[in-house]
Amino acid sequence: MQTRGSEGRAGGPSVLFVHPDFGVGGAERLVLDAALALQSRGCRVQVWTAHYDPGHCFSESRELQVHCAGDWLPRSLGWGGRGAALCAYVRMVYLALYILLLSGEEMDMIVCDQVSACIPVFRLARHRKKILFYCHFPDLLLTQRNSFLKRLYRAPIDWVEEYTTGMADCIVVNSSFTANVFKNTFKSLAHINPDVLYPSLNVSSFDNVVPSDLDNLIPKGKKFVFLSINRYERKKNLTLALEALLELRGRLDLQDWEKIHLIMAGGYDERVLENVEYYKELENTADQFDLSHHVTFLRSFSDTQKISLLHNCTCVLYTPSNEHFGIVPVEAMYMQCPVIAVNSGGPLESVVDNITGFLCEPDPTQFSKAMEKFIRDPSLKATMGSAGRARVKEKFSLEAFTDQLYQYISKLTE
């Protein structure tokens, strides 16, 4: 077991967060912000997870008590990441049992997310604790069922997800888009209307960082730098950014083209086969398109690097379709960086088309036309950037997020 961080201030409710893998994704960012928000309100906060590597996690995680148990259990059943969902369920059930039977921890309530299979275990506690479940997106929609065996394998997992999700005392989701998907997916939970708790942006973590020099990432003479930030996963459709860059080349003369550069920055974990494979695929695609001199690939960047990239780039390209929420557009807008995003899912609620960026079909031509606008009218970055920061302060502030979350905690523990 691994423990880091400091004690929360005494006096408030004791809240225990349970999360599968405390890494560097959007879900982890939300859990971290939620834990820090409650700690700032006087709650005694702990985070329990099946995997935690301080070197591969947001730096603010060191401000919390983080405990790890069950990392010895497999993440998948052999080659190709097969059985990952089943293994995630087993790891979370083990983690819940460890907390109840071996940790000696006492808590007033539990907050869990991503994997609901641990909820019935916590229900076995001698003194029943209230449970809040944060649904980022139904897991059963995140996988393909291309064979009878896959459908057979997923059937009990999907049933367990739906049944155990309904066992939570309170369910919240990250966007109105996800709320609608929740209602349409979990038919037996039609009586539940989950509240929307938008992920927030802890702006102090951005304001306190001095952007660093990026000469090692951006070649000299590049006036227009486009930035893609997403994990190296195929569902993020990062190929769209490369295809859009290829289309853009055909729309510009040679002089303007030489001023263009794209940075592909993404979360990367060498333990995850898809990360390794997709990264190589993208590199090969850049070579095939003859774009290698105009693209920089960056893996598992630091918080300082991310903020520096957002500070220095012209625009962010956000390529996933039907993204559940997507914190990257919010981060970009706060850094006064316009966003070009696919016109579906969470970005419909965060990005204002033609005001803070552009919402496009997931089509290289549409993306390249939007990118070209920043080249033809460089003042567009400042205008849209200013509007983006104002929108984040209005709708996605940490204060609003903290107030709403603390209300849930207070109501459940009263």
Side-chain angles (χ1 to χ4, degrees):
M1 185 178 75
Q2 181 180 21
T3 306
R4 294 185 63 90
S6 58
E7 295 286 340
R9 294 197 305 247
S14 175
V15 183
L16 192 148
F17 285 81
V18 183
H19 184 75
D21 189 331
F22 208 35
V24 291
E28 290 73 39
R29 182 72 252 179
L30 183 136
V31 170
L32 178 59
D33 287 342
L36 291 171
L38 292 181
Q39 186 167 275
S40 73
R41 286 293 181 92
C43 294
R44 290 160 291 165
V45 174
Q46 296 183 49
V47 176
W48 281 80
T49 179
H51 176 78
Y52 175 60
D53 176 3
H56 188 70
C57 194
F58 297 107
S59 59
E60 300 100 312
S61 67
R62 297 174 180 85
E63 300 174 29
L64 295 166
Q65 290 188 70
V66 181
H67 305 269
C68 184
D71 204 9
W72 57 272
L73 289 165
R75 293 168 55 90
S76 62
L77 302 176
W79 180 85
R82 298 180 186 277
L86 177 62
C87 289
Y89 277 38
V90 171
R91 285 162 67 95
M92 284 294 279
V93 168
Y94 174 87
L95 181 61
L97 288 169
Y98 187 99
I99 293 169
L100 287 183
L101 302 178
L102 299 175
S103 71
E105 298 291 350
E106 292 292 335
M107 75 293 293
D108 295 316
M109 72 164 296
I110 296 161
V111 178
C112 58
D113 71 309
Q114 285 194 322
V115 179
S116 57
C118 61
I119 295 177
V121 177
F122 288 120
R123 287 271 198 152
L124 298 174
R126 181 180 304 174
H127 302 291
R128 187 172 174 274
K129 312 299 181 185
K130 292 296 180 70
I131 301 170
L132 183 149
F133 183 70
Y134 194 101
C135 177
H136 302 278
F137 205 71
D139 181 67
L140 65 88
L141 299 179
L142 300 178
T143 184
Q144 300 294 319
R145 293 162 175 77
N146 298 324
S147 67
F148 172 75
L149 286 177
K150 184 62 178 288
R151 292 192 293 272
L152 189 65
Y153 160 73
R154 284 295 313 194
I157 293 176
D158 295 344
W159 180 87
V160 168
E161 179 187 9
E162 182 167 346
Y163 182 76
T164 57
T165 296
M167 296 176 72
D169 297 290
C170 177
I171 301 173
V172 295
V173 295
N174 56 10
S175 65
S176 296
F177 169 75
T178 300
N180 290 328
V181 172
F182 182 98
K183 296 282 286 185
N184 293 329
T185 302
F186 296 140
K187 301 297 185 182
S188 69
L189 306 181
H191 60 287
I192 297 176
N193 294 305
D195 284 352
V196 175
L197 175 60
Y198 284 121
S200 72
L201 196 64
N202 186 352
V203 298
S204 64
S205 63
F206 288 77
D207 295 338
N208 295 334
V209 172
V210 177
S212 60
D213 183 39
L214 295 177
D215 287 346
N216 60 326
L217 295 177
I218 305 174
K220 291 183 179 180
K222 302 298 183 179
K223 181 179 178 181
F224 303 101
V225 178
F226 296 94
L227 172 65
S228 168
I229 298 181
N230 252 309
R231 290 191 302 276
Y232 284 104
E233 297 176 355
R234 294 181 181 89
K235 67 182 180 182
K236 301 300 184 180
N237 195 21
L238 301 178
T239 306
L240 175 58
L242 294 174
E243 293 172 340
L245 185 65
L246 179 64
E247 288 267 352
L248 182 64
R249 182 173 65 185
R251 308 177 72 87
L252 302 176
D253 58 35
L254 182 60
Q255 185 177 3
D256 284 336
W257 170 244
E258 289 304 319
K259 300 176 184 177
I260 307 298
H261 201 74
L262 170 65
I263 297 179
M264 303 283 287
Y268 181 93
D269 189 337
E270 62 184 12
R271 300 172 303 144
V272 180
L273 181 62
E274 183 183 17
N275 288 177
V276 177
E277 291 180 342
Y278 195 41
Y279 178 82
K280 292 300 296 181
E281 289 174 19
L282 291 167
E283 280 193 320
N284 291 337
T285 300
D287 287 339
Q288 292 169 8
F289 290 169
D290 193 24
L291 295 174
S292 298
H293 295 300
H294 289 264
V295 181
T296 297
F297 290 95
L298 182 62
R299 294 176 287 186
S300 297
F301 45 89
S302 67
D303 292 343
T304 300
Q305 281 181 310
K306 178 178 70 174
I307 292 170
S308 301
L309 289 167
L310 291 170
H311 178 77
N312 287 281
C313 77
T314 303
C315 175
V316 161
L317 307 181
Y318 197 67
T319 54
S321 295
N322 295 318
E323 186 72 356
H324 325 146
F325 176 73
I327 196 64
V328 169
V330 178
E331 294 175 333
M333 289 190 296
Y334 183 76
M335 293 298 296
Q336 303 186 62
C337 181
V339 180
I340 301 174
V342 174
N343 59 352
S344 64
L348 288 173
E349 299 171 54
S350 56
V351 179
V352 183
D353 192 27
N354 288 306
I355 302 295
T356 69
F358 297 103
L359 295 170
C360 306
E361 293 292 324
D363 172 72
T365 300
Q366 296 299 314
F367 262 65
S368 67
K369 287 180 178 179
M371 295 164 71
E372 185 182 8
K373 291 178 181 179
F374 292 98
I375 299 166
R376 304 303 182 197
D377 182 9
S379 68
L380 205 56
K381 171 180 165 57
T383 304
M384 287 188 159
S386 178
R389 172 166 283 207
R391 179 163 177 78
V392 172
K393 287 183 174 180
E394 173 191 354
K395 193 164 185 177
F396 304 106
S397 71
L398 182 61
E399 291 77 13
F401 174 82
T402 302
D403 288 344
Q404 188 176 350
L405 179 60
Y406 190 72
Q407 286 178 12
Y408 294 134
I409 302 301
S410 298
K411 185 176 180 180
L412 289 169
T413 57
E414 65 184 10

